[in-house]
Amino acid sequence: MKGTERIMLGHGSGGLLMHELLEDEIVAALGRGSIQPDDAAVLPLDGGEVVFTTDSFVVDPIFFPGGDIGSLSVCGTVNDLAVMGAKPLYLSVALILEEGLPIEDLRRVLRSMRRTADEAGVRIVTGDTKVVPHGSADKLFVTTTGIGLRLKGLAPSSSRIRPGDALIASGSLGEHGLAVMLRREGVEFGAEIVSDVASVFPIVESLKPFGDAIHAIRDPTRGGIASTLNEFASASGCTIEIDEQAIPLRDDVRGACEIFGFDPLHVASEGKLVLAVAPGNATEVLCTLRSVPLGSNASIIGTVTDRRTPRVILRTAVGGRRILEMLAGEQLPRIC
Amino acid sequence: MKGTERIMLGHGSGGLLMHELLEDEIVAALGRGSIQPDDAAVLPLDGGEVVFTTDSFVVDPIFFPGGDIGSLSVCGTVNDLAVMGAKPLYLSVALILEEGLPIEDLRRVLRSMRRTADEAGVRIVTGDTKVVPHGSADKLFVTTTGIGLRLKGLAPSSSRIRPGDALIASGSLGEHGLAVMLRREGVEFGAEIVSDVASVFPIVESLKPFGDAIHAIRDPTRGGIASTLNEFASASGCTIEIDEQAIPLRDDVRGACEIFGFDPLHVASEGKLVLAVAPGNATEVLCTLRSVPLGSNASIIGTVTDRRTPRVILRTAVGGRRILEMLAGEQLPRIC
């Protein structure tokens, strides 16, 4: 882009500067489909159940170990489709840029977005760009919206959870939230903790043969697995019992959480799943998960016990039992 | 919502406060469909051409004469579907809230969003809410994404514009941009100029009988009609000639633009259309437009002359001719 290496208000004007920004940066990075001359995309969708989801991303910092706001905003929305049992097909990308943002930062984010979309097999087909004055936003916010088609046979929904179901985590938890927090606070902590941000669609696809036996799938992002499990309990009206020792946690995550006073069960992951599976299929699902790259640390972490009270009970390492609450206030702002 | 009348960081946590915000405010205002327990919507779409579009809204101030960021964000996306010849069906709503935003302001915006969606016949089916610390955003940003189905027979696209086409404006221009700017600057200017923000789908629907004769439709938002016409010229490779005196402008808009030094042709409308129509149908289209409520001031403003140079020529009131350029930098930031 000529004449400027920082975002200016005029880049959001609807005029020449904006057209330059679109052509030189956004189309160059995301591909022609992301900017329709007609401001919307026309999509072929061959029947089936269409799934539709949106997420804004305000992560701070925009670059962190293992990812950035670009890969996060693509994976976050791809994953919201995947947990519905849908194959992600199309994405829209809406950018809010702060005046003064280095163009090179925008480029890095867009490149990351494109690479992540290509890897996830999803097409960025339409978009929008706004610029606000310096101080009216923090660098760069991204809103991605996704359209997917439900895989035949899969219809996961937290309302389908029932007593007897096994709860399975697809891998170790909390890495994303900690990676972002440690980078934001400038804390050095032994070996760097790296975000787990990734598309979980390959995991979901591997579960297609189990069809109806997959009762619910969710990605434990904001609020961590504690929020996910409480949402499962509340949507199904069931009591869920979790074995604390069975929850996969990396030692560095456990250690950092102890030092900084976080409960790792409240810390976000961005490439993991929690599943509720019919009891007869639990072992087979576990083995399938362990056979895909992102699921090698999958574990059965608990069961749905009964329909008396919607709540989550944690069996602790020392044999105690406590109620695992949802996070009440804010523990880690701006981690997605 | 209990205990607080301002947005707190914890409202974006994924925890209890966030669930309270979602239930007490967002679901209460937008309806259950806007918050899926499963974080995405499953949509029935009966074949046809699916149209998909997204827009972020960062308007400042969030309340202005004639509308607010809520009505604007619904109409803006509904209109991007309408100009593709599509009936708007579903919307997603992603909110970025600044810590400290009065909950009452959020309520007002959500109510306005719901009312506007109901009037436009579009359903808000999924959403997302993020909260950033005070000073990291300005009050409230909204990203709406829309899905629509193309009306059979209509396939407007700026690439279908050809020599001979008549250019038609559906009504007077520039009111939205001026209404927002005057309110932001706190300028009193005779009778208040009111935003024209509205769903233009009823206008598009009235044109369905003309089918293929409707070559292109666009809403002249950011950058005003000057940007729209230049985009038409560039997408079609044609020269467009516009008669300055034929462009519908209210006297108060013309007057305010003179005083503040704006070119009204660069100022945004949010409930108007510019159309390119086959020459044989121009008069009939004009009469149809004038028969619908939002089109009573519709006018033929020019023609597509030839395919020599893609540019827009303005025939001025005194008989001169000048090239109408796209806005180069920024004239009115944050008007949508």
Side-chain angles (χ1 to χ4, degrees):
Chain A
M1 207 159 56
K2 300 166 296 246
T4 170
E5 286 303 317
R6 286 192 179 266
I7 290 292
M8 301 188 297
L9 275 181
H11 284 129
S13 65
L16 279 181
L17 269 179
M18 186 170 105
H19 282 78
E20 253 178 57
L21 176 71
L22 296 182
E23 276 300 318
D24 296 355
E25 302 298 336
I26 298 182
V27 170
L30 300 184
R32 177 65 51 189
S34 65
I35 306 294
Q36 308 291 319
D38 291 307
D39 220 8
V42 179
L43 309 175
L45 281 173
D46 302 331
E49 279 188 303
V50 173
V51 181
F52 183 43
T53 188
T54 193
D55 263 311
S56 287
F57 295 85
V58 298
V59 64
D60 171 35
I62 58 175
F63 302 104
F64 49 82
D68 55 54
I69 195 170
S71 56
L72 181 62
S73 63
V74 170
C75 289
T77 290
V78 157
N79 290 353
D80 278 351
L81 295 172
V83 299
M84 296 290 288
K87 180 176 168 59
L89 296 177
Y90 303 107
L91 281 189
S92 67
V93 173
L95 303 169
I96 298 175
L97 310 179
E98 184 191 14
E99 181 187 20
L101 176 76
I103 302 278
E104 185 49 38
D105 285 357
L106 175 63
R107 271 185 208 129
R108 250 178 94 185
V109 168
L110 293 171
R111 277 195 301 263
S112 162
M113 204 172 266
R114 174 62 183 269
R115 189 172 51 240
T116 311
D118 287 349
E119 283 166 13
V122 65
R123 281 181 54 211
I124 298 171
V125 291
T126 189
D128 180 54
T129 305
K130 294 288 190 301
V131 179
V132 297
H134 183 70
S136 294
D138 189 10
K139 295 181 198 71
L140 169 58
F141 299 149
V142 182
T143 303
T144 44
T145 306
I147 292 181
L149 273 179
R150 190 105 92 168
L151 298 174
K152 288 213 192 320
L154 277 186
S157 165
S158 44
S159 62
R160 291 186 50 227
I161 293 169
R162 61 192 72 156
D165 282 3
L167 275 306
I168 302 180
S170 70
S172 57
L173 298 171
E175 287 135 50
H176 174 73
L178 276 175
V180 170
M181 193 279 288
L182 294 175
R183 173 56 55 96
R184 182 163 63 209
E185 304 303 331
V187 177
E188 301 276 339
F189 182 76
E192 192 170 58
I193 295 178
V194 170
S195 168
D196 62 326
V197 59
S199 160
V200 296
F201 178 67
I203 313 184
V204 171
E205 203 174 24
S206 76
L207 300 176
K208 200 179 158 207
F210 298 99
D212 256 5
I214 308 298
H215 292 166
I217 314 178
R218 190 69 71 88
D219 50 338
T221 58
R222 269 189 297 177
I225 192 172
S227 274
T228 301
L229 293 171
N230 273 287
E231 284 160 12
F232 276 1
S234 136
S236 65
C238 292
T239 301
I240 290 172
E241 278 202 28
I242 298 295
D243 176 3
E244 188 171 28
Q245 287 193 285
I247 297 172
L249 283 177
R250 289 167 52 105
D251 287 341
D252 51 2
V253 167
R254 202 187 296 272
C257 280
E258 273 173 24
I259 289 172
F260 294 103
F262 296 134
D263 182 342
L265 307 188
H266 287 148
V267 180
S269 303
E270 289 286 349
K272 300 295 155 51
L273 294 176
V274 182
L275 305 107
V277 176
N281 301 82
T283 312
E284 233 185 323
V285 167
L286 186 67
C287 294
T288 303
L289 287 172
R290 288 194 172 166
S291 73
V292 297
L294 284 176
S296 55
N297 296 313
S299 304
I300 295 179
I301 59 169
T303 50
V304 180
T305 57
D306 57 68
R307 248 188 233 284
R308 282 199 295 269
T309 320
R311 63 179 174 186
V312 182
I313 292 171
L314 196 71
R315 290 192 307 270
T316 63
V318 294
R321 290 157 61 93
R322 66 174 175 98
I323 290 179
L324 179 63
E325 305 272 13
M326 221 181 240
L327 191 60
E330 180 55 276
Q331 179 175 251
L332 285 173
R334 297 188 63 187
I335 48 86
C336 63
Chain B
M1 207 158 56
K2 298 164 298 245
T4 170
E5 287 302 317
R6 286 192 178 266
I7 290 293
M8 300 187 300
L9 274 181
H11 283 128
S13 65
L16 279 181
L17 270 179
M18 188 169 104
H19 282 77
E20 252 178 58
L21 176 71
L22 296 182
E23 277 300 319
D24 296 354
E25 303 297 335
I26 297 182
V27 170
L30 300 185
R32 177 64 51 188
S34 65
I35 306 295
Q36 308 290 319
D38 291 307
D39 220 9
V42 180
L43 308 175
L45 282 173
D46 302 331
E49 279 188 302
V50 173
V51 181
F52 183 43
T53 189
T54 193
D55 263 311
S56 287
F57 295 86
V58 298
V59 65
D60 170 35
I62 58 176
F63 303 104
F64 49 81
D68 54 53
I69 195 171
S71 56
L72 181 62
S73 63
V74 170
C75 289
T77 290
V78 158
N79 291 353
D80 278 351
L81 295 173
V83 299
M84 297 289 289
K87 181 176 167 58
L89 296 176
Y90 303 106
L91 282 189
S92 67
V93 173
L95 302 169
I96 298 175
L97 309 179
E98 184 190 14
E99 182 188 19
L101 176 76
I103 303 277
E104 186 48 38
D105 286 358
L106 176 62
R107 270 184 209 131
R108 251 179 92 186
V109 168
L110 293 170
R111 277 196 301 265
S112 161
M113 204 171 267
R114 174 63 183 268
R115 189 172 51 241
T116 310
D118 287 349
E119 283 166 13
V122 66
R123 281 181 53 210
I124 298 171
V125 291
T126 189
D128 181 54
T129 305
K130 294 290 191 300
V131 178
V132 296
H134 183 70
S136 294
D138 188 10
K139 295 181 198 71
L140 170 58
F141 299 148
V142 182
T143 303
T144 45
T145 307
I147 292 181
L149 273 178
R150 189 106 90 167
L151 297 175
K152 289 215 190 319
L154 278 186
S157 166
S158 44
S159 61
R160 291 186 50 228
I161 293 169
R162 62 192 72 155
D165 281 2
L167 275 308
I168 301 179
S170 70
S172 57
L173 299 170
E175 287 135 51
H176 174 74
L178 275 176
V180 169
M181 193 279 287
L182 294 175
R183 172 57 55 94
R184 182 163 64 208
E185 304 302 331
V187 177
E188 301 276 338
F189 182 77
E192 193 170 57
I193 294 178
V194 170
S195 167
D196 60 326
V197 59
S199 159
V200 297
F201 178 68
I203 313 184
V204 172
E205 204 173 22
S206 76
L207 300 176
K208 200 180 157 208
F210 297 100
D212 255 5
I214 308 297
H215 292 165
I217 314 178
R218 190 70 70 88
D219 50 338
T221 58
R222 268 189 298 177
I225 192 172
S227 274
T228 302
L229 293 171
N230 274 287
E231 284 161 12
F232 276 2
S234 136
S236 64
C238 292
T239 301
I240 291 173
E241 277 202 29
I242 297 295
D243 176 3
E244 188 172 27
Q245 288 193 286
I247 297 172
L249 284 177
R250 288 167 53 106
D251 287 341
D252 51 2
V253 167
R254 201 187 297 271
C257 280
E258 272 174 23
I259 289 172
F260 295 102
F262 296 134
D263 182 341
L265 307 188
H266 287 149
V267 180
S269 304
E270 288 286 349
K272 300 295 155 50
L273 296 176
V274 182
L275 304 106
V277 176
N281 301 82
T283 311
E284 232 185 322
V285 167
L286 186 68
C287 294
T288 302
L289 287 172
R290 289 194 171 166
S291 73
V292 297
L294 284 176
S296 55
N297 296 312
S299 303
I300 295 180
I301 59 169
T303 50
V304 180
T305 57
D306 56 68
R307 247 188 233 285
R308 282 198 295 268
T309 320
R311 64 180 174 185
V312 182
I313 292 171
L314 195 70
R315 290 193 306 271
T316 62
V318 294
R321 291 158 62 93
R322 67 175 173 97
I323 290 179
L324 179 64
E325 304 273 12
M326 222 181 241
L327 191 61
E330 180 55 277
Q331 180 175 250
L332 285 174
R334 296 187 64 186
I335 48 85
C336 63

